[in-house]
């Protein structure tokens, strides 16, 4: 995968960032940009990519992106 993409995985029903790309399980990939996260949420991309039902809590990923960007 592209070094510029952030891997995210599902842990106990919460989407979490996996910058080290080492967590087990199915992952999804995301540009490390808050706008990309918003688009993925709107399109319900994470449940489809991870093959799970319903909306997912993306707060941990949003916080990671904000810290990375220094906002």
């Amino acid at each position: 995968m592209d070094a510029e993409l952030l891997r995210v995985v599902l842990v106990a029903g919460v989407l979490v960032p996996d910058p080290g790309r080492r967590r087990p399980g199915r992952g999804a990939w995301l540009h490390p940009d808050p706008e990309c996260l918003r688009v993925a949420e709107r399109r319900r991309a994470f449940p489809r990519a991870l093959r799970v039902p319903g909306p997912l809590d993306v707060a941990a990923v949003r916080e990671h992106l904000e810290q990375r960007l220094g906002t």
Side-chain angles (χ1 to χ4, degrees), residues 13-40:
V14 176
L15 200 64
V16 297
D18 182 17
R21 302 175 179 187
R22 302 219 185 277
R23 287 186 180 258
R26 178 175 291 279
W29 298 88
L30 173 74
H31 289 104
D33 178 342
E35 181 59 26
C36 188
L37 177 61
R38 281 189 286 276
V39 170

Side-chain angles (χ1 to χ4, degrees), residues 4-67:
E4 295 299 315
L5 295 178
L6 172 65
R7 182 173 188 256
V8 295
V9 295
L10 195 60
V11 176
V14 176
L15 200 64
V16 297
D18 182 17
R21 302 175 179 187
R22 302 219 185 277
R23 287 186 180 258
R26 178 175 291 279
W29 298 88
L30 173 74
H31 289 104
D33 178 342
E35 181 59 26
C36 188
L37 177 61
R38 281 189 286 276
V39 170
E41 281 183 283
R42 189 177 72 235
R43 293 183 177 178
R44 298 178 187 98
F46 295 121
R48 279 196 320 267
L50 300 171
R51 299 180 184 170
V52 297
L56 301 174
D57 180 0
V58 299
V61 175
R62 183 173 288 114
E63 182 178 325
H64 175 82
L65 294 177
E66 289 171 356
Q67 287 177 354

